[in-house]
Amino acid sequence: MALLAALLLPLMLAWLSFMTLVPSPARGRQYTLNVPRVLLPYVPSSGIRSNFTLASEHGCFTWASTRPDVATVQPVYEKGKKNVNGCSHQAVLSPQSTPGSQPTRLSTIIIAEEQMTGQELRCDVFVDMIERIEITTRTRELLLEEEPERFDLRAFDEEGNMFSTIRGQIIHWSLLTDLETPNKHQSDSDDILTFVPFEESSYATDPVIGALENKGLQGDTVLVSGVSTGTAVVEARLMDQTWTKVNSVSVKLIVMENIMLHPSTVTHILPRAFVDYRVERKKQGRSEVVAMPSKQYTLELTNTTVGELDVERSRVTGLAVGFTELVLNDKNMLHTPMAAKPSAAIHVVNPHHLGYSIAPGNLWVLETGRDYRITIHIFDRQNHKILVSENVVLETTLPTPHLLPHHSTTNGSFHHVRAERKGQVYINSVLTRIKDMTTGQYHDIRPEVSKQQALEIYE
């Protein structure tokens, strides 16, 4: 027995030494609360309290307030059941003070003690009067018939400190007509904006906000959606009589259609050539073409010496070398200079050189029996690709019988061919004329622009 004890004693000492050297996870961890201080509003005459949740990611705490008459703290147990130690990693702060005849800032300290380590965490809590409010949102431009935008109300004390929360307070949100933007086409505010209940949206519903909306009330967060294009005002004010000295706040919103011109990229055309535009509207991810001319929308050229606009066709024809821009105007937004307008840039340029492309493969080594698509491109001096409209005449000579044409466009810029016979041959193209779409006359392009492309066909 003595021999066994002599053998076990060194092992036990080694184990104890190891355990003292390796700290436990609980002792080595530094716990923190989600916030070091909290600012809450006084309890108004309605008795509504704006609660705030304190939390720590790790550990289990007991909670205490040094002045429960200012603010209380109640633990939040997992699954709603109190554990053996009566501790939790979350607790709810609730203000208790009501403003007197001369309200001053009150404070209390929340002490959270971790049960395993005894480590204490502190959170300073202040209760004060609301002096002003502010509406916050990600944007003041709403897209018509898209997801509603969230608007939040923030509150501040006399020194400009923002309250940690005013959740639970009843807010009166209203929609007002924008009187600063006179427009005979402008609709009433209710025709431009509408409030959307959280339960009718894809947003997650906060329980407190949801409970208010179920009673026909509104809280510090609302959803606003655009109904028609125009400008309108969203206003918010605190409902409780305690806050009668707090001024209401408002923001002006612009509702625009998710609409754009196609082509929307910068376009280069020749004098007397043209580009046709269409107006597209996007609704809930789907595109639809807007019939033009329209009662609501008009097209306008910024430089009528460079281009000419055919309103009936939404067509811009090049008149002279230069730059112009096609702008889409919304009659509901004519007196709203801040509203972005869809536009398309147009450069009228002279031709400089031609280029070729072939598909598939983009290689000029062809195989007999296979079909190919050959495209002739026009470029200006800066190597910008020029749009080849239908009235442009590109004369292209294909090496028959080596290439058999299946289809060619009227302007000669595209050819669908089949390679029929092997050999080394050439394609020749010349930009010769352009047709005036008004008079029907053809005008020669001087100097002519030409290009030759060699290709090899094998079996």
Side-chain angles (χ1 to χ4, degrees), residues 131-246:
E131 291 295 327
R132 67 178 181 88
I133 53 178
E134 180 181 296
I135 297 174
T136 62
T137 180
R138 294 183 306 169
T139 180
R140 296 190 181 188
E141 295 181 356
L142 307 184
L143 292 178
L144 188 63
E145 297 186 17
E146 293 292 333
E147 277 289 304
E149 188 65 33
R150 174 174 170 162
F151 290 77
D152 297 295
L153 194 67
R154 300 284 184 255
F156 300 85
D157 66 7
E158 187 177 16
E159 298 177 357
N161 302 305
M162 186 173 72
F163 283 86
S164 302
T165 181
I166 56 170
R167 184 58 47 89
Q169 300 300 317
I170 300 174
I171 314 298
H172 178 71
W173 296 83
S174 54
L175 303 175
L176 307 176
T177 302
D178 177 20
L179 300 178
E180 296 180 357
T181 309
N183 188 349
K184 64 180 181 180
H185 300 282
Q186 178 82 320
S187 302
D188 292 335
S189 59
D190 292 339
D191 297 327
I192 296 174
L193 298 172
T194 187
F195 292 114
V196 179
F198 271 86
E199 63 178 10
E200 297 179 9
S201 73
S202 60
Y203 287 79
T205 305
D206 181 276
V208 177
I209 298 297
L212 288 173
E213 290 187 343
N214 289 336
K215 298 177 182 178
L217 303 173
Q218 292 170 307
D220 61 306
T221 299
V222 293
L223 299 178
V224 180
S225 181
V227 179
S228 65
T229 59
T231 59
V233 174
V234 175
E235 185 185 69
R237 61 181 176 87
L238 298 167
M239 286 288 288
D240 195 280
Q241 63 180 6
T242 303
W243 317 118
T244 52
K245 294 183 179 180
V246 180

Side-chain angles (χ1 to χ4, degrees), residues 297-313:
Y297 296 101
T298 59
L299 291 170
E300 177 187 7
L301 271 182
T302 59
N303 189 343
T304 56
T305 61
V306 172
E308 181 182 42
L309 173 63
D310 183 340
V311 175
E312 295 298 322
R313 295 184 177 183

